[in-house]
Amino acid sequence: MSFAALLQSLPIPIIQAPMVGASSDALAISVSKAGGMGFLAAGAMAAAEIGPSVTAMRSATDAPFGVNLLMAPAVAPDPLDVARALDRLAVWYGELGLPMPAPPNIFAPDFETQLEALTAAAPPVASFAFGVLNGQQVEALHRAGSYVVGTATTVAEARAWADVGADGVCAQGMEAGGHRGHFLEDVDASLIGTMALIRTVRAAVDLPVIAAGGIMDGHGVAAALALGAEAVQMGTAFLLTDEAVTSLPWRRAITGAGDDPTRLTRAFTGRHARGIQNRFMREMQSIQNDVPDYPVQNRLTQPMRVAAAVADDPDMISLWAGQGVALASNGAAADLLRRWWAEAGDAARGVVARYERGSQS
C-alpha cells in the first residue's frame, strides 16, 4: 500500500499534530481509534523511551499512527554565550523565586540515537521537522516498514524531501502554532500561508500533501481538501481536549484569547515559534535575536517554564497556539474529530448548494 492509499483509507483524513508538552499517548490513541491518525511527539523523548511508546500504541490500537522527531542539531555552545543567556533570564528566575540553573552539559536528546530507536521501533509513519534526512536514513526507515513524512514550509523544502525519497510532505503554513519547521531559508522567507502552500507544493512534487496551519474545524478541513491536500494536520484544535496534557494556565490563556492573539517569537527556545503573546514575549522582543539558537535557549528556559506552570503563571510559559486559537473547543478528542468531519461534509455540500441556487435564480 502506498502512503497516499493509507491516507485515503482513513475514515477521517485528520491527523493529530505531535505537540511536545500537550500531546499524550491517550490523545494519539483516541484519535486513531476514532478514524483519524494520532501522533506521538517524541522530540523530547530519550531514545530508550521511543520503542516502548510505539509498542504501547500498537497494543492499544490496530489503526495507523505516527511518531514525530525534531531534528535538533548537536551543539557545544561557547560557555560565555550560555552565561550571557542565563544572565538575561536571571530576572525571570528571580520572579519565581528559583535559583539560577547551572549551565547544562546536554541541551537536547541526541537525534541520531533517537532516529536509530525510531527505525528499530518501525511505527507505521515517521515524521520529521527542522531539517531533512538523507537518502540512506529514509531507506532504512522504509526497510523497517515505516512511511516517511517531512515537514516543509516552502516549495524548496518539499522538493528536498521528495529528493531523498520521502513518502509525503506536511505543508506547514505560517498560521500554524508552535515551532516553525523551516530549514533552508530564514523565517521571513518561509512564512507562506497554508492555502498558497498546499497548491504550490502540489504543483511541485508528486507526493501526498498533508495541510497544516490554521485549520480549526470542518470548514478548514473542507477547504484544505478542496485545495488538493490528501489529509489535514490539526494541532491547536486539540489543545483543549480531555486527553491533551495542556497545563491549566495554558488552557486558560486559550479560552481567554481575544482576536489575533498570537505572535512569532524565538525568546523561549531560540527558534521561531507561534504562541499567544504574553509578558515574556513582549519584554524579550527587543533582544530575542540575541538569544542562543535552539536547542540551547530551549534548555535554559525549561526550568523557568515548568516552575511557571506549577505557579499558575502564564506570563512565563510558552503558550504555543496557531492563528485560529479563538476557535478551540473543549471535549473528547474522538467527539471533536467526528464533529469536524461532519462539518466538512456540510461545508462542501453547502458551497455546491449555494451556487446551484445562484445559477437557477
Side-chain angles (χ1 to χ4, degrees):
M1 178 189 295
S2 67
F3 182 59
L6 174 66
L7 293 177
Q8 291 165 6
S9 73
L10 293 175
I12 301 176
I14 295 175
I15 295 168
Q16 163 248 317
M19 299 172 288
V20 174
S23 298
S24 68
D25 290 359
L27 177 58
I29 291 166
S30 178
V31 170
S32 286
K33 282 186 172 181
M37 185 185 295
F39 251 86
L40 298 177
M45 285 185 184
E49 298 175 307
I50 293 174
S53 293
V54 171
T55 298
M57 278 293 295
R58 283 204 172 97
S59 298
T61 178
D62 293 329
F65 65 91
V67 179
N68 174 263
L69 287 181
L70 306 176
M71 300 180 68
V75 293
D78 186 324
L80 289 177
D81 290 338
V82 173
R84 282 191 287 266
L86 287 171
D87 284 344
R88 294 187 197 101
L89 296 171
V91 64
W92 301 95
Y93 275 93
E95 278 195 33
L96 292 165
L98 293 178
M100 290 302 295
N105 294 319
I106 299 174
F107 291 90
D110 179 68
F111 172 71
E112 296 296 333
T113 307
Q114 287 180 315
L115 180 59
E116 289 177 9
L118 181 65
T119 304
V125 181
S127 76
F128 301 87
F130 301 179
V132 61
L133 299 178
N134 61 45
Q136 291 76 20
Q137 292 167 326
V138 171
E139 181 55 32
L141 285 158
H142 285 164
R143 287 196 302 269
S146 298
Y147 293 111
V148 176
V149 175
T151 301
T153 67
T154 65
V155 169
E157 290 173 354
R159 286 197 178 105
W161 276 105
D163 289 345
V164 297
D167 302 287
V169 172
C170 179
Q172 185 196 42
M174 66 177 289
E175 302 92 332
H179 283 106
R180 303 298 304 150
H182 63 287
F183 60 91
L184 289 183
E185 298 284 352
D186 64 22
V187 69
D188 290 335
S190 307
L191 293 175
I192 300 167
T194 303
M195 290 182 66
L197 193 60
I198 295 169
R199 294 302 297 162
T200 53
V201 169
R202 279 301 307 263
V205 300
D206 187 21
L207 290 175
V209 174
I210 299 165
I215 302 168
M216 295 293 296
D217 56 20
H219 296 275
V221 172
L225 297 180
L227 286 167
E230 275 76 14
V232 302
Q233 180 170 286
M234 301 170 72
T236 303
F238 283 102
L239 286 175
L240 295 182
T241 58
D242 300 341
E243 298 88 349
V245 293
T246 317
S247 68
L248 289 178
W250 192 356
R251 286 175 181 265
R252 281 201 304 276
I254 292 169
T255 57
D259 298 331
D260 307 317
T262 68
R263 299 291 185 274
L264 286 177
T265 183
R266 68 187 303 274
F268 278 110
T269 70
R271 186 179 183 92
H272 283 92
R274 183 176 296 282
I276 298 170
Q277 190 175 46
N278 58 11
R279 186 163 62 90
F280 185 84
M281 288 170 62
R282 287 192 297 271
E283 295 187 10
M284 291 286 287
Q285 182 175 3
S286 64
I287 59 171
Q288 66 172 341
N289 291 329
D290 298 329
V291 308
D293 290 342
Y294 183 95
V296 176
Q297 179 75 356
N298 183 62
R299 178 67 181 83
L300 299 181
T301 64
Q302 184 179 36
M304 178 193 81
R305 290 178 280 131
V306 171
V310 173
D312 201 18
D313 185 346
D315 273 320
M316 286 181 260
I317 300 171
S318 47
L319 304 168
W320 301 146
Q323 288 183 332
V325 63
L327 300 174
S329 299
N330 296 290
D335 292 342
L336 291 175
L337 196 76
R338 288 187 282 264
R339 188 182 84 190
W340 295 330
W341 189 229
E343 286 176 353
D346 290 343
R349 287 187 292 271
V351 169
V352 173
R354 184 161 64 248
Y355 285 94
E356 284 181 342
R357 288 195 300 270
S359 65
Q360 294 169 1
S361 62

